[in-house]
């Protein structure tokens, strides 16, 4: 008789693991019984075999009956038969290590063929007593050898694990799935729709119409992907809260563990902390994994870096470099299978969540506003990887120089896939680094994304409240007609209208065009940045609370950073869309205008308008504002007024705006816990402030053109461009962009030296240098980062 494998307890544990192979068809009942006899021995098999297979009496009665029949047949044989069978088994007995490799979670095809323990059929076949196993079973074993991640279904006696999907709708590189599989129990994937919890305490608009439509199709694709690996996805609506829904689900299934990937909005983080503590009191646990950002925003520290320059991506990268977190590691492969429970709890249909519900007219017909969004995107995880592959094969080579072009697809268009977790940032970074062309500018976008979530973690009211106190008192315009014209793409400025129509029809526009339309809304229409933020949140398929709030705060002059530019709606068009192809695509009524006038239809002679079949004010709208410089001067004067009105929030020596430090940064700066920070004191931090605002502090009534630091950009970067330069750019666009990039770097270095009080660097002879037009009296930086108001 074959000896047992170690102690009886070890043998029983091995046999229970081997039982999973029988459940998925990787081993037949007779082969399993032979391995059981080999592992336990004759006596222990007779004593414990019925206890091992008892869970199958409810989960799989047919298999239970078959194994019982094999058991009874074996122990009803004569001693000679038993001795003959045992001898055949002992000749092919595997070692303990080989048996453990046979039940390993991660296998490959080669390892499976080399390391798998032979079944009883194989053993008896070699001894000449039974015929070869069927061809169908050989094919099944061959396919199972290709498994990468995943466990076969387990007996129903083990409590399942709840896999809680939130904003991680993928199988590739999903640490929550791996964490769930490590429990070695059935996995129940679930998505809980709790729209009220997504919203913060202010006006957040976390889930607008376009993003809900994307979420609906992303969930449908995820469900199909899970079904392809033998699992499913349950949809539940939180009637009161996600916590109560989870508690009810745990009670119905007997599960004691919930696994999820973390989300970082402060109000959602608080929700997860409440869920974790409540489940712990109930005897369950919530296991949280991190994958939505490259760096957990709540782990970023300014220790060793300081607070100077906070708000810039360079300062954030320095903080991450100085205080590194856990290594990212390699992306995780997707599972090939998920262990399923013996029964599935009741759930809802995806359509009952009403994520993609369309409005109806009074006559009952449906208004399908998303028809163009549906045709413009592939909402699946496979679509995300296909888009990434296509970009790394083509567009990435032009991204560094021409990502600001509107008339050619030089951007990745991956933002919606990142937002809904169909593509992990780690996977994106890994593939970008592995590409032949490695544009640092593209990889830096992920740092901007992490920076946005870090800022939101520090300032939870960032989506609705201006961070710089004086700017809360700005006198914004109340012209609702201007806002509607901007939203509908009917401002009379073709580049702005084309971008806003692209947003409405496809749910997306590239980053440069977002800057253009935001500058127009804030600097020229002087409408509040919150209106732009809310419209973006409602119409963008990649609407992201942290990213949109950071962008609109900075564009609205009240964020941690200041945009040091304002995009002119006409001059910018002359370089980002020099031939007008972008405008013609989204504003077809302008299609017949010549290239040199398509961005300025109001300058077209009557004869050209007539040939083009255009009538301004009818076929295409008149400009809603005509004097752009006057409108921007009024905006500057309003900023100067509020800064004079609140002098306690303006540093006298540098002219920089001051903002109260959030508690977490304050405790890091003082080296104390937040409970030890003195109460009743306001600690103020100098922020990056636009130079033209500093200059206007002494001359609040000066107009924008007389300001030597005028931030209006004539095209991409240069402040002194005109239509002639823009026309020449059509002939040699790359050389022009390279030249402008060099000028921009020199200007930034020069301004930085001024801020630090350093002299101009020595210039080699023979190189022409432009002399400064004005002296910067605000070049002295305050000595301390933290200032106390008494």
């Amino acid at each position: 008789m074959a000896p047992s494998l170690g102690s009886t307890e070890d043998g029983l544990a091995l046999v229970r693991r081997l039982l999973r192979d029988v459940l998925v068809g990787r081993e037949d009942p007779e082969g399993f019984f032979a391995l059981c006899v080999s592992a336990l021995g004759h006596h222990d098999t007779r004593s414990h075999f019925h206890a091992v297979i008892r869970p199958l009496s409810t989960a799989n009665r047919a298999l239970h009956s078959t194994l019982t029949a094999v058991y009874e047949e074996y122990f009803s044989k004569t001693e000679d038969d038993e001795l003959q069978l045992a001898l055949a088994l002992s000749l092919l007995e595997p070692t303990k290590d080989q048996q453990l490799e046979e039940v390993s979670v991660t296998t490959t095809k080669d390892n499976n063929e080399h390391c798998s323990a032979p079944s009883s059929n194989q053993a008896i076949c070699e001894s000449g007593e039974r015929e070869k196993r069927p061809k169908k079973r050989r094919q099944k074993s061959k396919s199972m050898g290709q498994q990468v991640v995943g466990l076969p279904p387990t007996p129903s006696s083990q409590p399942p694990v709840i896999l809680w999907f939130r904003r991680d709708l993928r199988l590739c590189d999903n640490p929550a799935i791996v964490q769930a599989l490590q429990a070695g129990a059935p996995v129940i994937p679930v998505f809980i729709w709790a729209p009220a919890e997504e919203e913060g305490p202010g006006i957040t608009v976390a889930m607008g119409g376009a993003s809900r439509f994307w979420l609906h199709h992303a969930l449908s694709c995820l469900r199909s992907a899970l079904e392809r690996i033998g699992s499913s996805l349950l949809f539940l609506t939180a009637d009161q809260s996600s916590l109560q829904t989870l508690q009810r689900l745990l009670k119905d299934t007997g599960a004691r563990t919930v696994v999820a990937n973390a989300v970082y909005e402060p109000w959602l983080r608080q929700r997860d902390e409440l869920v974790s503590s409540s489940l712990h009191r109930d005897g369950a646990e919530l296991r949280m994994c991190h994958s939505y950002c490259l760096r957990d925003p709540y782990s970023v520290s300014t220790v060793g870096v300081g607070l100077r320059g906070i708000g810039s991506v360079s300062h954030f990268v320095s903080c991450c470099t100085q205080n590194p977190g856990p290594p990212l590691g390699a992306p995780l492969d997707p599972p090939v299978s998920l262990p399923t429970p013996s029964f599935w709890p009741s759930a809802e249909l995806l359509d009952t969540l009403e994520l993609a519900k369309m409005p109806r007219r009074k006559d009952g017909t449906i208004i399908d506003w998303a028809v163009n969004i549906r045709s413009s995107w592939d909402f699946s995880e496979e679509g995300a990887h296909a888009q990434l592959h296509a970009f790394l094969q083509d567009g990435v080579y032009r991204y560094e120089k021409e990502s600001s072009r509107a008339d050619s697809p030089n951007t990745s268009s991956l933002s919606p896939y990142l937002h809904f977790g169909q593509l992990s940032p780690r996977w994106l970074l890994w593939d970008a680094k592995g590409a032949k062309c490695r544009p640092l500018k593209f990889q830096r976008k992920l740092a901007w994304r992490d920076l946005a979530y870090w800022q939101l973690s520090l300032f939870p009211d960032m989506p609705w409240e201006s961070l710089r106190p004086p700017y809360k008192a700005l006198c914004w315009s109340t012209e609702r007609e201007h806002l509607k014209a901007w939203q509908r793409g009917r401002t009379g400025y073709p580049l702005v209208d084309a971008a806003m129509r692209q947003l409405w029809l496809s749910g997306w526009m590239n980053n440069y065009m977002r800057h253009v339309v935001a500058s127009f809304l804030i600097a020229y229409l002087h409408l509040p940045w919150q209106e732009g933020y809310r419209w973006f949140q409602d119409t963008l398929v990649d609407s992201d609370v942290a990213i949109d709030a950071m962008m609109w705060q900075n564009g609205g002059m009240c964020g941690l950073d200041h945009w040091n530019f304002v995009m002119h709606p006409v001059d910018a068009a002359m370089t980002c869309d020099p031939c007008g192809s972008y405008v013609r695509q989204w504003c077809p009524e302008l299609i017949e205008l010549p290239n040199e006038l398509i961005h300025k239809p109001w300058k077209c002679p009557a004869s050209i308008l007539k040939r083009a079949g255009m009538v301004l004010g009818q076929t295409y709208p008149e400009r809603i504002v005509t004097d752009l410089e006057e409108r921007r001067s009024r905006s500057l004067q309003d900023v100067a007024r509020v800064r004079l009105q609140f002098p306690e929030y303006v540093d006298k020596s540098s002219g920089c705006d001051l903002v109260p430090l959030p508690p977490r940064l304050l405790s890091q700066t003082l080296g104390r816990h937040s409970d030890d920070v003195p109460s009743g004191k306001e600690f103020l931090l100098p922020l990056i402030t636009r130079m033209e605002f500093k200059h206007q502090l002494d001359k609040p009534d000066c107009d924008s053109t007389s300001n030597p630091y005028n931030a209006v950009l004539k095209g991409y970067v240069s402040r002194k461009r005109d239509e002639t330069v823009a026309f020449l750019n059509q002939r040699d666009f790359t050389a022009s962009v390279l030249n402008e990039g060099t000028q921009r770097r020199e200007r930034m270095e020069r301004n930085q030296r001024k801020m630090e009080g350093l002299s101009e660097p020595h210039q080699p002879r023979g190189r022409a240098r432009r002399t400064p037009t004005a002296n910067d009296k605000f070049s002295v930086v305050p000595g301390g980062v933290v200032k106390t108001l008494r």
Side-chain angles (χ1 to χ4, degrees):
M1 190 64 62
S4 61
L5 180 65
S7 64
T8 301
E9 291 76 12
D10 293 338
L12 288 173
L14 175 62
V15 168
R16 291 190 180 96
R17 290 196 295 271
L18 291 172
L19 184 58
R20 305 178 190 178
D21 292 347
V22 185
L23 286 169
V24 297
R26 191 183 300 173
E27 187 59 79
D28 61 18
E30 293 179 349
F32 165 73
F33 182 78
L35 291 174
C36 183
V37 174
S38 176
L40 297 177
H42 180 86
H43 178 73
D44 286 344
T45 301
R46 181 189 291 272
S47 303
H48 299 291
F49 187 76
H50 281 300
V52 170
I53 66 173
R54 185 175 297 116
L56 297 178
S57 61
T58 57
N60 195 327
R61 293 183 180 180
L63 180 58
H64 183 270
S65 300
T66 302
L67 288 173
T68 301
V70 173
Y71 171 87
E72 293 176 353
E73 180 183 2
Y74 175 80
F75 284 105
S76 65
K77 292 180 180 292
T78 64
E79 286 296 323
D80 292 339
D81 294 333
E82 294 178 8
L83 182 60
Q84 185 178 4
L85 179 59
L87 180 61
L89 289 173
S90 65
L91 294 176
L92 296 172
E93 179 185 337
T95 65
K96 181 176 180 180
D97 291 339
Q98 288 174 322
Q99 292 177 2
L100 293 177
E101 288 178 357
E102 167 70 13
V103 297
S104 176
V105 173
T106 303
T107 63
T108 62
K109 179 179 179 181
D110 294 336
N111 287 339
N112 185 65
E113 294 176 352
H114 177 71
C115 300
S116 60
S119 66
S120 63
N121 278 357
Q122 292 171 313
I124 297 174
C125 176
E126 291 190 14
S127 65
E129 295 194 23
R130 293 206 181 177
E131 57 182 281
K132 296 182 179 180
R133 61 180 178 176
K135 180 179 179 181
K136 182 177 181 181
R137 180 170 169 241
R138 291 200 307 271
Q139 292 175 344
K140 181 179 292 186
S141 292
K142 184 177 180 180
S143 65
M144 292 302 295
Q146 297 175 354
Q147 183 173 353
V148 178
V149 178
L151 286 171
T154 58
S156 60
S157 61
Q158 299 191 37
V161 173
I162 304 300
L163 178 57
W164 185 13
F165 281 98
R166 290 104 70 83
R167 209 177 302 148
D168 45 4
L169 310 181
R170 67 182 182 275
L171 300 183
C172 292
D173 194 31
N174 194 327
I177 294 180
V178 176
Q179 181 73 243
L181 287 172
Q182 289 176 353
V187 177
I188 302 178
V190 61
F191 175 82
I192 301 175
W193 176 233
E197 295 177 356
E198 295 288 334
E199 304 297 328
I203 303 177
T204 310
V205 198
M207 277 287 180
S211 59
R212 289 190 185 202
F213 184 82
W214 185 288
L215 176 60
H216 172 90
H217 290 280
L219 288 171
S220 177
C221 294
L222 177 62
R223 177 183 57 190
S224 300
L226 287 169
E227 289 174 350
R228 286 195 294 271
I229 61 173
S231 186
S232 186
L233 179 62
L234 303 183
F235 301 110
L236 299 173
T237 300
D239 297 330
Q240 296 181 354
S241 68
S242 296
L243 172 60
Q244 292 186 352
T245 303
L246 285 172
Q247 289 174 332
R248 184 169 61 252
L249 188 62
L250 293 176
K251 181 179 180 182
D252 294 342
T253 61
R256 311 311 301 163
T257 304
V258 179
V259 180
N261 286 320
V263 288
Y264 301 123
E265 289 83 348
W267 49 92
L268 293 180
R269 179 181 171 89
Q270 292 175 3
R271 186 269 311 271
D272 290 347
E273 291 174 349
L274 175 62
V275 170
S276 179
S277 59
S278 299
L279 293 184
H280 181 72
R281 288 195 299 268
D282 296 339
E285 64 173 331
L286 173 63
R287 299 179 183 175
M288 199 67 68
C289 306
H290 294 279
S291 71
Y292 192 68
C293 293
L294 291 176
R295 180 71 180 267
D296 179 359
Y298 293 88
S299 69
V300 177
S301 173
T302 60
V303 174
V305 180
L307 299 176
R308 182 179 179 184
I310 188 173
S312 68
V313 71
S314 299
H315 175 271
F316 178 76
V317 171
S318 298
C319 290
C320 295
T321 304
Q322 186 73 19
N323 305 283
L328 290 178
L332 304 170
D333 289 326
V336 172
S337 64
L338 285 181
T340 56
S342 57
F343 76 96
W344 290 91
S346 59
E348 305 172 24
L349 297 176
L350 177 58
D351 290 339
T352 60
L353 305 185
E354 297 185 345
L355 295 171
K357 185 179 180 180
M358 296 295 160
R360 291 182 178 271
R361 299 184 180 89
K362 293 182 179 180
D363 60 1
T365 57
I366 296 178
I367 305 174
D368 190 2
W369 54 263
V371 59
N372 290 287
I373 296 178
R374 191 183 301 109
S375 62
S376 301
W377 297 92
D378 181 345
F379 302 96
S380 65
E381 182 180 357
E382 293 78 10
H385 288 274
Q387 182 68 29
L388 174 60
H389 177 75
F391 174 69
L392 293 180
Q393 292 295 318
D394 184 20
V396 70
Y397 296 97
R398 299 184 299 274
Y399 187 87
E400 198 77 28
K401 300 177 183 177
E402 301 184 19
S403 61
S404 299
R405 290 293 291 264
D407 56 352
S408 57
N410 297 325
T411 54
S412 67
S413 302
L414 293 171
S415 51
Y417 299 109
L418 278 172
H419 174 69
F420 287 100
Q422 294 165 288
L423 184 67
S424 74
R426 178 169 61 177
W427 191 290
L428 175 58
L429 182 63
W430 192 272
D431 278 11
K433 288 184 175 180
K436 293 181 180 179
C437 178
R438 306 175 182 180
L440 296 178
K441 180 179 178 181
F442 176 66
Q443 297 179 29
R444 200 174 178 86
K445 293 296 183 182
L446 292 175
W448 278 104
R449 184 172 180 267
D450 283 15
L451 169 62
Y453 276 92
W454 184 55
Q455 291 189 12
L456 183 62
S457 71
L458 295 172
F459 300 91
D461 56 353
M462 191 168 69
W464 58 85
E465 188 75 30
S466 296
L467 299 186
R468 305 193 187 207
Y471 297 79
K472 299 177 183 179
L474 287 172
C475 294
W476 296 105
S477 171
T478 58
E479 186 60 65
R480 303 301 298 180
E481 291 302 319
H482 286 178
L483 177 62
K484 291 181 180 179
W486 178 81
Q487 292 172 342
R488 297 173 182 174
R490 299 190 60 81
T491 65
Y493 290 88
L495 184 65
V496 176
D497 292 344
M500 295 306 293
R501 294 183 193 185
Q502 180 190 17
L503 170 62
W504 176 254
L505 292 175
S506 69
W508 188 84
M509 68 173 76
N510 71 30
N511 188 61
Y512 184 78
M513 297 312 301
R514 298 185 194 197
H515 286 311
V516 170
V517 299
S519 289
F520 189 80
L521 180 76
I522 295 169
Y524 295 110
L525 299 184
H526 201 43
L527 288 166
W529 64 268
Q530 290 92 337
E531 295 289 355
Y533 162 80
R534 293 164 192 165
W535 185 252
F536 268 30
Q537 285 295 112
D538 190 41
T539 55
L540 281 171
V541 292
D542 64 347
S543 61
D544 189 290
V545 169
I547 297 173
D548 283 348
M550 181 184 72
M551 189 199 82
W552 282 100
Q553 284 260 10
N554 292 341
M557 304 167 291
C558 52
L560 293 188
D561 195 2
H562 264 171
W563 285 359
N564 62 346
F565 57 85
V566 174
M567 304 307 305
H568 192 280
V570 179
D571 294 332
M574 301 301 292
T575 53
C576 73
D577 186 30
C579 297
S581 57
Y582 176 75
V583 166
R584 289 186 177 91
Q585 179 182 359
W586 300 104
C587 299
E589 61 267 42
L590 303 176
I591 197 169
E592 297 296 333
L593 292 184
N595 293 350
E596 60 272 15
L597 293 174
I598 192 171
H599 296 295
K600 299 170 288 186
W602 57 89
K603 290 189 176 183
C604 285
S607 58
I608 294 181
L609 291 177
K610 185 176 181 180
R611 281 199 303 271
M614 278 189 56
V615 178
L616 290 179
Q618 296 182 17
T619 58
Y620 184 74
E622 295 274 9
R623 292 175 293 170
I624 57 176
V625 293
T626 55
D627 193 342
L628 296 179
E629 294 301 330
E630 189 272 336
R631 301 278 304 190
R632 212 182 89 73
S633 294
R634 284 167 50 188
S635 176
L636 280 178
Q637 291 168 6
D638 192 22
V639 171
R641 178 188 60 80
V642 297
R643 298 185 81 224
L644 290 174
Q645 185 178 349
F646 297 92
E648 66 272 22
Y649 292 107
V650 179
D651 188 82
K652 302 298 187 297
S653 59
S654 67
C656 292
D657 292 328
L658 302 173
V659 67
L661 260 69
R664 195 163 90 234
L665 282 184
L666 184 57
S667 61
Q668 288 180 8
T669 303
L670 300 179
R672 308 174 183 176
H673 295 289
S674 57
D675 297 336
D676 299 333
V677 174
S679 60
K681 291 185 179 181
E682 191 175 42
F683 294 82
L684 300 180
L685 169 69
L687 296 181
I688 301 169
T689 304
R690 193 185 293 176
M691 297 295 291
E692 64 177 349
F693 292 171
K694 297 179 182 180
H695 177 80
Q696 198 137 357
L697 195 62
D698 283 346
K699 299 179 180 180
D701 296 328
C702 71
D703 57 22
S704 59
T705 56
S706 61
N707 193 317
Y709 301 103
N710 187 359
V712 176
L713 297 189
K714 307 290 186 179
Y716 284 105
V717 177
S718 174
R719 289 173 168 76
K720 295 187 176 298
R721 301 184 60 155
D722 55 21
E723 295 179 12
T724 303
V725 175
F727 176 78
L728 293 175
N729 281 342
Q730 300 177 33
R731 303 296 184 267
D732 193 354
F733 181 82
T734 302
S736 175
V737 171
L738 290 173
N739 180 59
E740 288 179 359
T742 302
Q743 293 181 357
R744 181 173 183 269
R745 285 193 296 271
E746 290 179 352
R747 185 173 62 254
M748 293 177 64
E749 293 174 359
R750 187 165 57 250
N751 289 338
Q752 183 67 28
R753 296 183 69 86
K754 287 184 179 181
M755 292 284 289
E756 296 177 356
L758 302 177
S759 59
E760 288 289 335
H762 175 72
Q763 299 297 333
R765 293 184 178 181
R767 184 179 180 185
R769 300 292 299 177
R770 186 175 61 189
T771 58
T773 57
N775 293 326
D776 179 18
K777 64 177 239 174
F778 304 104
S779 59
V780 180
V781 179
V785 174
V786 180
K787 175 182 176 182
T788 304
L789 288 182
R790 302 188 180 278

